[in-house]
Amino acid sequence: YKVTPNFDALASEGIRFTQFYAAGQRSIEGVQTTLTGIPALKGLPRLDVGIGISNFTRIGTIAQNNGYETLFTQSSNRDSFKISGITAAAGFNQFYGKEDTPLIGNYPNHEEATFGWDYDSLMFFKSKLDSLKQPFLAYTFTGTTHEPYADPGEKFHVRPHDAQGEAGFLNTMKYADWSLGQFIAAAKKEPWFDNTIFIFTADHANNLQKGGFLKRFHTPLLIYAPKIFNSREDKTISSQLDIMPTIIDLLGFDTEYTSVGESVFNKKSPYAFTTMGGTAITLINDKAYLKHSLKNRLEAEIYNPEKGKVDFDEMEAFLLSLDQLSFELLRDNQWSR
């Protein structure tokens, strides 16, 4: 089923990162890593449940210090995932959620969308962008494609709707894609569009996604700015931990920051660091991946043999040292010192 024609059209005009990975398997882990560059580590609470650090890079504050207005919106309730507190800590001075978003779509049951309606949320986001002074840094987090899948209406049905199954996901994806198309069409009419860089990604892979380990973390990353960048495919291994450094790089902020990741345009050692529900950590490079429990090597596979030999012992040592260093810095609130 081809349910994303609008996103596909944008991708054909943007920079498509086709070896991009989620840093975790939960929505809040995606928000944490993209906003802060901080991984969700085994043995440490996530940012939403009291990771307990004050020393981390505040992307919103950096942007404001460089003359940018800052905005964060989400389609779900303001207090879901405690994102209202996280965004305030990250330096965003405007924050809105489902309670603030007018209902403008026509839905079979408008209360069915636990995580909000993407069209309504994106149109609200666009109205807030129109009210900002330029330049601005804005982040929006949509959620209609989160299970249980709310019925968006028959015009979006590719199969009979199922709130818990693949049919429901496909229907909500078609709706979400249409919503994105409506948002971009409206944005193109505004004076700020030509100078705006749009970054699209997902919080995590869908649990219906079939395939091996890499497929369970593989998500899209698209950088779209047709007046600024030529379209191309980029196969650099990258992850959500690279998003914040990429924003700092793209906007030319001359500032120090701390992150496990690097700008996708300047990766010295391309890899992705992922976590699995606090039970395992994984290193992915352009040759292989290695999964570890912090006690034992759980899985290791060469998926790209044409790239040459793989030293799994070296990969394991790097993965464990990366985890240990991050853990100790975060535990001792020394992350940005």
Side-chain angles (χ1 to χ4, degrees):
Y1 297 95
K2 295 184 178 181
V3 295
T4 58
N6 291 288
F7 184 79
D8 294 346
L10 297 182
S12 70
E13 298 182 81
I15 305 175
R16 304 171 300 282
F17 291 83
T18 52
Q19 294 193 71
F20 182 81
Y21 298 95
Q25 295 182 314
R26 300 290 302 277
S27 296
I28 186 57
E29 292 168 351
V31 173
Q32 173 177 313
T33 52
T34 55
L35 274 181
T36 69
I38 297 174
L41 298 178
K42 183 178 180 180
L44 281 179
R46 299 187 308 264
L47 205 60
D48 64 316
V49 288
I51 198 171
I53 66 167
S54 57
N55 260 324
F56 63 91
T57 300
R58 290 169 166 76
I59 185 63
T61 302
I62 291 173
Q64 289 184 58
N65 291 341
N66 282 271
Y68 282 64
E69 289 206 43
T70 57
L71 166 72
F72 191 109
T73 70
Q74 65 181 50
S75 61
S76 54
N77 289 333
R78 287 192 296 265
D79 288 335
S80 61
F81 306 112
K82 300 184 181 177
I83 291 179
S84 57
I86 293 171
T87 55
F92 286 81
N93 61 3
Q94 289 191 50
F95 175 82
Y96 302 95
K98 183 179 180 181
E99 301 94 326
D100 309 299
T101 305
L103 187 71
I104 57 176
N106 183 21
Y107 307 107
N109 180 358
H110 69 84
E111 295 181 354
E112 193 176 42
T114 305
F115 297 94
W117 294 107
D118 287 0
Y119 173 67
D120 302 11
S121 181
L122 286 171
M123 290 299 104
F124 177 75
F125 179 58
K126 191 262 176 185
S127 72
K128 290 300 178 183
L129 293 178
D130 292 340
S131 69
L132 295 176
K133 293 180 181 179
Q134 298 182 53
F136 53 73
L137 173 69
Y139 186 124
T140 190
F141 176 37
T142 60
T144 307
T145 53
H146 195 293
E147 59 190 0
Y149 306 115
D151 187 349
E154 288 188 8
K155 67 179 284 189
F156 300 108
H157 287 186
V158 295
R159 283 165 45 187
H161 194 75
D162 174 4
Q164 299 294 336
E166 184 178 47
F169 170 70
L170 292 171
N171 296 342
T172 54
M173 180 59 76
K174 183 177 181 180
Y175 160 79
D177 181 75
W178 171 82
S179 302
L180 175 61
Q182 296 296 303
F183 167 75
I184 291 294
K188 284 182 175 180
K189 298 175 183 178
E190 301 302 333
W192 47 262
F193 177 81
D194 287 353
N195 295 321
T196 299
I197 299 170
F198 298 84
I199 300 176
F200 299 99
T201 189
D203 50 354
H204 56 81
N206 187 276
N207 61 10
L208 297 168
Q209 204 154 314
K210 298 177 177 65
F213 176 84
L214 294 182
K215 286 289 186 182
R216 297 198 298 275
F217 282 85
H218 187 252
T219 57
L221 173 65
L222 172 66
I223 297 179
Y224 172 76
K227 301 293 184 179
I228 301 173
F229 302 118
N230 293 325
S231 63
R232 61 184 173 88
E233 179 183 6
D234 192 312
K235 295 184 178 180
T236 303
I237 301 293
S238 49
S239 81
Q240 291 170 334
L241 290 159
D242 300 318
I243 295 290
M244 186 193 71
T246 299
I247 293 171
I248 291 172
D249 184 20
L250 285 172
L251 299 183
F253 295 156
D254 183 15
T255 183
E256 292 183 349
Y257 66 87
T258 305
S259 172
V260 169
E262 302 173 284
S263 168
V264 293
F265 298 109
N266 190 32
K267 294 204 75 172
K268 297 179 179 62
S269 53
Y271 67 83
F273 175 84
T274 73
T275 60
M276 290 189 68
T279 62
I281 56 175
T282 306
L283 183 73
I284 304 167
N285 62 28
D286 64 351
K287 300 177 184 178
Y289 71 86
L290 186 147
K291 182 166 66 171
H292 208 281
S293 70
L294 296 182
K295 292 182 179 180
N296 304 295
R297 188 185 298 182
L298 300 175
E299 190 176 342
E301 182 178 323
I302 299 172
Y303 71 89
N304 206 356
E306 61 271 22
K307 287 286 186 177
K309 294 182 179 179
V310 174
D311 187 334
F312 283 119
D313 290 338
E314 185 178 288
M315 283 185 69
E316 181 178 38
F318 178 73
L319 174 62
L320 293 176
S321 64
L322 180 62
D323 179 87
Q324 182 178 2
L325 177 61
S326 299
F327 181 92
E328 290 176 355
L329 290 174
L330 290 166
R331 179 196 60 194
D332 299 337
N333 199 22
Q334 298 288 319
W335 182 255
S336 290
R337 289 181 182 171

